[in-house]
Amino acid sequence: MPDQGPAPAWRYGSSLPQRLSRNYARYRERGGRIDLYGDADAYAENGRLQDCERLMFLLLAFDQIHKEGLPGDVAELGVYKGQTATVLARNARRLGRTCWLLDTFAGFDAKDFTGADAGRGTQFADTSLAAVRARVGEENTRYIQGFFPDTAAQLPPDGRYCLVHIDCDLYAPILSALEYFYPRMVPGGFLIVHDYGSMEWDGAEKAVDVFFADKPECIVPLPDSAGSVVIRRWRPPTPDGSWLRQKQALALDQWHTPAHNQIAAALGEGWSRPEAWGIWGVDTAHTLTFAPADAASPDLVLELDVHAPLVSSRPELRASVSVDGAVAAEWLFSEGQNRGVRALPLPRQTGWRQPISVTLRPETALVPQTVNPASGDTRPLGIALHRLRLRRA
Ligand SMILES: C[S@@+](CC[C@H](N)C(=O)[O-])C[C@H]1O[C@@H](n2cnc3c(N)ncnc32)[C@H](O)[C@@H]1O
């Protein structure tokens, strides 16, 4: 494409992440915690939502922090009037964390006008700590006013962070912030630096390149207007298993439903999408992988509330059930014995640390459209799961 000067402001169209737009209602139904409208209103300036990509990225990062169960606080260096800080603080509150907000609240400090930033002048002085407090609020929020890195001493010495947003434009404070926060990020934590790719602040790009040149993590450029970058802190293997393994832990003696996402992590291969009533197994093998939340549990029984689609051409369905690969039960679904709770004793284990794998294997799957051509459902349906419970034998 020939160089035609500055690109038109909006030539290629835009779309929001589907999770937060067309599927937002589904996302919320399944327990998603992002408050899209509240956060967007808080982020908007004079009623306008500029740099929507920036907001969307922050929200998706918080969503992932919640999903993976990352511990740690939230921090921002470079608050100015609090536009991004308000989003960080709102999400820190929702996660039950503290949001640490650091700035001079009086603009750049001339001590930072060195190297690539030599000759720059005062900017961002038209703010105040009081004004930011009024906008962002006090709950779960701590303000640290002054020149960074001098103010780092006011942060908790044992502080750990799941998300840090560095937005202070200049080489020296960005490098200082990377040196301070990087070792304090929790494994998997999000370290975000604004202005890297904008070509407005050469010091930002330089500080990030210098700092990450010898780190195991690589930067990922983001498509917000100022070219933020993100790294996720390296995560070593953990003795307690991955976050996904931990999510596969089922609390004993209570019913769990697919519809409310309670067993999303336990649903392995061979399941369709959760629906309001439960979930369809598809094809002829549906696997559940889970472990009891209490590893010291005694003998356990898995109860599955299930049914099979029966039609006149297939009035019965046989299914085998295997536990960790060995057949443990044979089930018959028939007109008189279809929907109901079926119990599966689990082989005794000395401890329940390892996940257990249970696979339902219906002999055949049924495509609704082949029985009723008016049905648009072309999925090969196996066994429907309404809810499950893991109980003491
Ligand atoms: C671009 S503004 C931050 C924008 C803000 N994140 C927002 O959402 O609008 C940069 C901020 O970094 C702060 N800053 C720059 N160098 C600093 C330093 N060494 N110590 C503390 N704050 C600094 C400035 O005071 C300024 O408020």
Side-chain angles (χ1 to χ4, degrees), residues 43 45 54 76-86 88 102-109 111-112 123-125 127 135 144-151 165-170 172-174 176 194-195 201:
Y43 175 81
E45 301 270 83
R54 187 182 198 191
E76 178 174 72
L77 174 62
V79 177
Y80 185 39
K81 294 185 177 179
Q83 185 187 19
T84 43
T86 188
L88 303 187
L102 300 103
D103 202 303
T104 61
F105 296 102
F108 291 152
D109 188 306
K111 287 199 283 293
D112 287 330
Q123 280 188 57
F124 304 111
T127 185
R135 176 176 183 174
I144 299 181
Q145 183 169 22
F147 176 76
F148 192 90
D150 296 356
T151 48
H165 186 225
I166 300 174
D167 184 8
C168 49
D169 303 341
L170 307 176
I174 292 176
S176 300
H194 199 236
D195 300 306
W201 302 95

Side-chain angles (χ1 to χ4, degrees), residues 107-139:
F108 291 152
D109 188 306
K111 287 199 283 293
D112 287 330
F113 296 154
T114 58
D117 298 311
R120 290 200 185 268
T122 305
Q123 280 188 57
F124 304 111
D126 57 336
T127 185
S128 71
L129 177 54
V132 176
R133 276 184 187 274
R135 176 176 183 174
V136 176
E138 300 293 335
E139 192 192 338

Side-chain angles (χ1 to χ4, degrees), residues 343-359:
L344 186 72
L346 297 174
R348 183 171 197 141
Q349 303 193 9
T350 45
W352 295 93
R353 288 206 173 280
Q354 292 302 319
I356 307 150
S357 182
V358 170
T359 303

Side-chain angles (χ1 to χ4, degrees), residues 118-253:
R120 290 200 185 268
T122 305
Q123 280 188 57
F124 304 111
D126 57 336
T127 185
S128 71
L129 177 54
V132 176
R133 276 184 187 274
R135 176 176 183 174
V136 176
E138 300 293 335
E139 192 192 338
N140 288 35
T141 308
R142 301 284 295 275
Y143 297 88
I144 299 181
Q145 183 169 22
F147 176 76
F148 192 90
D150 296 356
T151 48
Q154 296 175 47
L155 288 163
D158 55 353
R160 305 273 284 154
Y161 302 89
C162 63
L163 186 144
V164 171
H165 186 225
I166 300 174
D167 184 8
C168 49
D169 303 341
L170 307 176
Y171 178 84
I174 292 176
L175 190 61
S176 300
L178 289 170
E179 284 165 351
Y180 181 83
F181 284 110
Y182 174 84
R184 292 172 171 82
M185 300 304 297
V186 300
F190 290 74
L191 184 50
I192 305 158
V193 186
H194 199 236
D195 300 306
Y196 174 87
S198 68
M199 309 194 79
E200 300 275 337
W201 302 95
D202 289 348
E205 186 168 351
K206 191 171 167 196
V208 170
D209 287 345
V210 165
F211 186 80
F212 283 106
D214 61 355
K215 301 293 182 295
E217 302 89 352
C218 300
I219 58 164
V220 179
L222 301 176
D224 60 2
S225 72
S228 293
V229 289
V230 62
I231 65 109
R232 295 196 62 186
R233 188 75 167 89
W234 180 69
R235 181 174 56 199
T238 49
D240 296 340
S242 69
W243 65 270
L244 189 58
R245 277 272 179 272
Q246 287 167 27
K247 282 206 150 189
Q248 289 170 340
L250 295 183
L252 295 190
D253 300 322

